[in-house]
Amino acid sequence: MSTDHTPVEALTDREAAKELLRLAGLIKHHDQLYYARSAPEIEDAAYDALRLRNLAIEARFPSLKRADSPSDRVGAAPADGFAKVRHSRPMLSLGNAFDADDVEEFLARVRRFLGLAETEDIAVIAEPKIDGLSLALRYEDGRLVQAATRGDGAEGEDITANALTLKDIPARIAGAPPVLEVRGEVYMSHSAFARLNERRATADQPLYVNPRNAASGSLRQLDTRITAERELGFFAYSLGEVSAPIAETHSGLLAQLGEWGLPINPLSRVCGSLDELLATYADFLQQRASLDYDIDGVVYKVDRTDWQERLGQVSRAPRWAIAHKFPAEQAETILEQIDIQVGRTGALTPVARLAPVFVGGVTVTNATLHNEDEIARKDVRVGDTVVIQRAGDVIPQVVRAVLEKRPADSQPYAFPHRCPVCDSEAVRPEGEVIRRCTGGLICSAQAVERLKHFVSRNAFDIEGMGTKRIEELWADEIVRSPADIFRLKDRRADLVQRERWGSQSVVNLLAAIEDRRTWPLERFIFALGIRQIGQATAKLLARAYGSLDGLIEAVTAARDSESEAYADLINIDQMGKDVAADLIAFFAEAHNREVVADLAQFLTLEAPEAVQQSPVSGKTVVFTGTLERMTRAEAKARAESLGAKVAGSVSKKTDYVVAGADAGSKAKKAADLGLAILTEDEWLAKIGQEA
Ligand SMILES: [Zn+2]
């Protein structure tokens, strides 16, 4: 039966899924006509109705929201790769200044060009130069219609859908001129970068080298869900095409962009003289180490917009701006040794041991060499003098070997083909960058790493079970599998006897272990340390199967790739065939099933709570004004029980504003932002409590 006229409230799950599929296709079709060929088939109002219906269904059935949901994008998505975009005005690069003389010369050139007296001060704004990727955001009638990467400056890639997943980038701007192209920098903070690499390490995926690479890789994902979870930030710093002038100064422009909801770097300041510019440079350089994002210099821009226009550009750089670069945080030292670490899944990772060297504000003794191919590509050898580079909190890396200083008797580094711990063969399947120990159960390095993972913070979080203790208990054959941890209570007397353990710390440890006898299923699944099963996937599996027995039964049935169980498994959100294969392989191994069963007898595993399904789950609501049918506290509690988030102030993230009597400024702001404003009765009707 056709579902296209069924009210959203009356749809069943199955019908809703079908309807979302139909709407996704239909909206995409109209988008393509509109954006790609400028030949719309339907009125704007009819088009808006399709989008609203899609949103309403998604609100009622959040779990059915599609990966290609039209609510996540604007404009036509290219079928493969990204469409090319020609920039309305080229995205220029900046000339460089390396010292004070260069900056002085820049100011002198500006004066000469504008015919100013040498005594006349020029207001120049100094902005930190963010080390990220340039992005151009085009708003038409206040709506984001296109986001494009810099590309070669003339032509970039259309990444609109991805840009819309950044919380720093508003989809709409109230009060913008008809055409407004904002340019700025997308970056990844150090903390987000650390979290991302931690997740990747857990899932046994290759790590990103630095935040800029990570930001670039994250922004240019064909699957926008991946971009969305990468926590990218954005700073606006200039304009492309605009239909009307915005401000008389660059500082005024930034202030206006800030008012429109675009993030502006808070460090930028207007300077009146060369000395002030250089003092600002020194200040930013000093702050650099404590910022949560990478900056690699300071950009100086003539503040007056009319002067910028007069100055124009020479070749591909503006005359009114220059980048004053920071010295690189690099240093030379001796590579004393290359150690190979063995991870929980047997991955062999090379680590450079260095003669201590001071770089970027800290003493460095270790650096990453990434992998076998990187060592070969750079031809880094033990005994070499190497260049080390460090940026912010990022793990230092070996940039290159200084060949002039290479000892005469040096030998190319031979990456081991056997595990340095258990001596099993280490193999590298074709097409992979990681070489792995094949020792499996006999490899103590893997076993110890698996136990460390099992007790780690996001898994069983057992306090008092540190690396040293695990290694000790493993070596003495007291703890060989996770279940042995729960058997420690029978060995209290042994433990107290151990050197440096002490009876109180044993009491504390055993209490911490007992405290974990009841534990969430998702953390149990994560704790097993199965390849590619990170926290997010573990959670999805726990939700999908509800119990350990349910999971094992389903995964066992899924060994047959023709089965329904297999189809169900790979259909779980974000679960690809690769991940499913690792999961199936883990439970296909008899030993692993024994270890899991042995462990499970000690535990009560809690199934995840069902997600509350309501028309407002996942939505952000703001209550304002005097409510008449309920108190503010009651309204908040009820909304939260239905899965909504209640916020104190209106922002572009707000979904609904519920306005009581005398609603005032919040309601006004909501109207300016074009948000849905509901009366108290409309709200009650929406959440199914008749007025
Ligand atoms: Zn091994």
Side-chain angles (χ1 to χ4, degrees):
M1 152 198 153
S2 162
T3 48
D4 53 355
H5 290 103
T6 314
V8 174
E9 297 75 6
L11 291 171
T12 64
D13 284 40
R14 191 173 292 270
E15 286 168 346
K18 256 174 80 179
E19 184 66 351
L20 286 174
L21 170 68
R22 185 185 74 91
L23 288 167
L26 201 56
I27 292 169
K28 189 173 176 186
H29 167 73
H30 290 304
D31 279 343
Q32 273 164 349
L33 289 175
Y34 183 83
Y35 290 101
R37 290 182 238 145
S38 305
E41 259 177 11
I42 56 172
E43 297 287 328
D44 282 0
Y47 173 82
D48 284 346
L50 291 177
R51 277 189 168 262
L52 283 174
R53 180 168 171 81
N54 185 72
L55 274 176
I57 298 174
E58 286 175 351
R60 190 169 162 231
F61 302 95
S63 62
L64 296 181
K65 183 171 168 181
R66 301 173 55 82
D68 61 351
S69 164
S71 51
D72 286 339
R73 68 188 159 82
V74 173
D80 56 340
F82 296 99
K84 293 272 181 256
V85 175
R86 181 148 284 274
H87 295 298
S88 53
R89 287 178 171 192
M91 291 180 82
L92 303 173
S93 45
L94 294 173
N96 287 322
F98 296 98
D99 56 26
D101 287 351
D102 292 346
V103 181
E104 192 174 9
E105 173 54 26
F106 163 71
L107 293 177
R109 270 200 312 271
V110 169
R111 276 204 190 85
R112 281 200 300 273
F113 192 94
L114 296 173
L116 305 177
E118 248 177 73
T119 48
E120 188 159 353
D121 279 338
I122 308 171
V124 173
I125 185 166
E127 301 170 2
K129 187 170 183 294
I130 314 295
D131 191 11
L133 286 92
S134 306
L135 191 66
L137 303 172
R138 186 180 178 87
Y139 291 87
E140 290 178 5
D141 299 321
R143 180 169 161 202
L144 181 68
V145 294
Q146 190 173 70
T149 59
R150 182 176 182 282
D152 61 4
E155 198 176 64
E157 285 173 323
D158 183 345
I159 50 135
T160 312
N162 303 56
L164 276 168
T165 68
L166 270 65
K167 65 178 178 5
D168 279 354
I169 295 180
R172 284 173 187 276
I173 293 179
V179 175
L180 169 68
E181 189 189 318
V182 178
R183 291 174 176 179
E185 202 84 353
V186 173
Y187 65 95
M188 185 178 284
S189 69
H190 294 158
S191 38
F193 177 72
R195 283 192 290 273
L196 172 61
N197 264 352
E198 198 178 271
R199 289 199 300 274
R200 292 180 71 82
T202 302
D204 218 24
Q205 293 166 321
L207 304 188
Y208 282 109
V209 176
N210 60 41
R212 187 164 50 77
N213 285 3
S216 171
S218 303
L219 197 59
R220 299 176 65 262
Q221 290 281 341
L222 288 173
D223 183 347
T224 57
R225 287 175 304 179
I226 299 176
T227 309
E229 62 192 27
R230 292 287 174 85
E231 308 178 71
L232 296 170
F234 179 78
F235 283 122
Y237 55 60
S238 72
L239 289 180
E241 187 184 358
V242 270
S243 52
I246 289 172
E248 290 176 359
T249 59
H250 192 76
S251 45
L253 165 69
L254 294 180
Q256 178 62 67
L257 293 177
E259 270 174 43
W260 282 333
L262 288 151
I264 301 303
N265 192 285
L267 299 177
S268 302
R269 67 174 83 137
V270 179
C271 302
S273 66
L274 175 65
D275 287 348
E276 238 182 290
L277 285 176
L278 297 177
T280 302
Y281 176 86
D283 182 29
F284 287 2
L285 183 55
Q286 205 233 321
Q287 288 192 54
R288 179 188 200 181
S290 57
L291 295 176
D292 194 28
Y293 46 85
D294 283 341
I295 62 175
D296 57 359
V298 184
V299 179
Y300 307 132
K301 297 172 180 170
V302 171
D303 201 34
R304 273 176 59 167
T305 317
D306 57 339
W307 283 359
Q308 288 185 1
E309 272 162 28
R310 281 173 58 195
L311 285 158
Q313 66 191 69
V314 56
S315 67
R316 298 173 60 76
R319 277 195 200 84
W320 48 270
I322 198 164
H324 191 178
K325 303 284 250 186
F326 287 151
E329 291 184 296
Q330 291 192 337
E332 285 186 10
T333 188
I334 306 287
L335 174 60
E336 294 182 331
Q337 200 178 313
I338 295 176
D339 280 354
I340 302 290
Q341 292 179 339
V342 183
R344 148 184 127 235
T345 57
L348 269 48
T349 309
V351 178
R353 306 293 181 198
L354 308 164
V357 58
F358 194 73
V359 52
V362 296
T363 300
V364 169
T365 53
N366 298 323
T368 177
L369 284 162
H370 303 295
N371 57 48
E372 190 171 350
D373 288 352
E374 280 291 295
I375 298 179
R377 191 174 65 76
K378 293 174 181 163
D379 185 22
V380 173
R381 305 178 182 189
V382 174
D384 271 348
T385 296
V386 289
V387 176
I388 303 302
Q389 180 167 297
R390 187 179 171 277
D393 290 331
V394 182
I395 312 160
Q397 49 177 312
V398 175
V399 180
R400 63 185 168 87
V402 182
L403 296 181
E404 309 87 81
K405 297 184 184 172
R406 170 166 286 172
D409 61 348
S410 85
Q411 296 293 319
Y413 179 73
F415 201 92
H417 287 204
R418 305 198 78 84
C419 173
V421 176
C422 73
D423 202 38
S424 299
E425 197 187 350
V427 299
R428 184 176 161 190
E430 210 169 301
E432 286 193 17
V433 290
I434 296 170
R435 185 174 290 278
R436 285 173 207 279
C437 163
T438 54
L441 301 170
I442 66 145
C443 182
S444 64
Q446 291 184 48
V448 167
E449 289 302 317
R450 277 198 297 270
L451 286 168
K452 281 199 234 167
H453 173 74
F454 184 84
V455 301
S456 67
R457 200 162 47 85
N458 295 320
F460 267 72
D461 191 21
I462 297 176
E463 201 161 327
M465 203 70 178
T467 299
K468 283 235 160 59
R469 284 189 171 173
I470 288 181
E471 283 170 356
E472 208 181 308
L473 294 173
W474 164 268
D476 292 348
E477 298 187 26
I478 295 172
V479 172
R480 286 274 157 133
S481 83
D484 292 338
I485 293 171
F486 291 92
R487 291 191 186 97
L488 284 176
K489 63 179 189 303
D490 305 328
R491 310 192 63 154
R492 180 186 298 259
D494 288 357
L495 295 179
V496 176
Q497 300 294 318
R498 300 185 76 84
E499 241 180 277
R500 293 186 308 274
W501 280 57
S503 60
Q504 188 56 48
S505 89
V506 170
V507 169
N508 293 346
L509 173 63
L510 294 179
I513 294 169
E514 281 308 291
D515 201 41
R516 295 295 180 256
R517 299 270 301 252
T518 299
W519 204 235
L521 176 62
E522 63 200 56
R523 290 178 76 169
F524 174 88
I525 297 170
F526 173 69
L528 295 177
I530 304 165
R531 252 175 97 175
Q532 302 204 70
I533 308 292
Q535 282 173 271
T537 312
K539 199 171 200 166
L540 292 169
L541 289 168
R543 283 233 184 96
Y545 297 112
S547 69
L548 179 60
D549 289 343
L551 171 72
I552 293 175
E553 197 179 316
V555 172
T556 305
R559 271 190 241 174
D560 171 7
S561 63
E562 301 295 316
S563 66
E564 205 170 309
Y566 181 77
D568 287 345
L569 180 62
I570 60 169
N571 277 334
I572 294 176
D573 201 11
Q574 295 171 339
M575 170 92 61
K577 286 184 180 174
D578 271 12
V579 181
D582 282 333
L583 183 66
I584 291 167
F586 179 88
F587 284 104
E589 183 81 49
H591 171 82
N592 288 338
R593 286 199 306 275
E594 281 161 25
V595 166
V596 169
D598 186 22
L599 176 60
Q601 63 177 319
F602 294 100
L603 303 171
T604 305
L605 297 174
E606 293 171 321
E609 277 174 40
V611 182
Q612 189 43 288
Q613 289 270 332
S614 86
V616 298
S617 45
K619 298 290 168 181
T620 301
V621 187
V622 173
F623 293 101
T624 180
T626 313
L627 301 179
E628 281 160 357
R629 302 175 53 88
M630 51 195 164
T631 65
R632 191 67 76 81
E634 188 190 350
K636 180 170 188 284
R638 200 180 299 172
E640 284 173 348
S641 77
L642 291 167
K645 262 197 311 230
V646 178
S649 62
V650 174
S651 74
K652 60 183 203 285
K653 281 183 252 162
T654 309
D655 296 290
Y656 302 112
V657 174
V658 181
D662 312 306
S665 67
K666 283 184 196 169
K668 187 184 174 303
K669 183 164 183 206
D672 290 345
L673 288 171
L675 301 174
I677 303 177
L678 307 180
T679 65
E680 210 176 339
D681 285 349
E682 283 167 341
W683 168 254
L684 290 171
K686 179 172 276 296
I687 62 174
Q689 315 240 318
E690 286 315 312

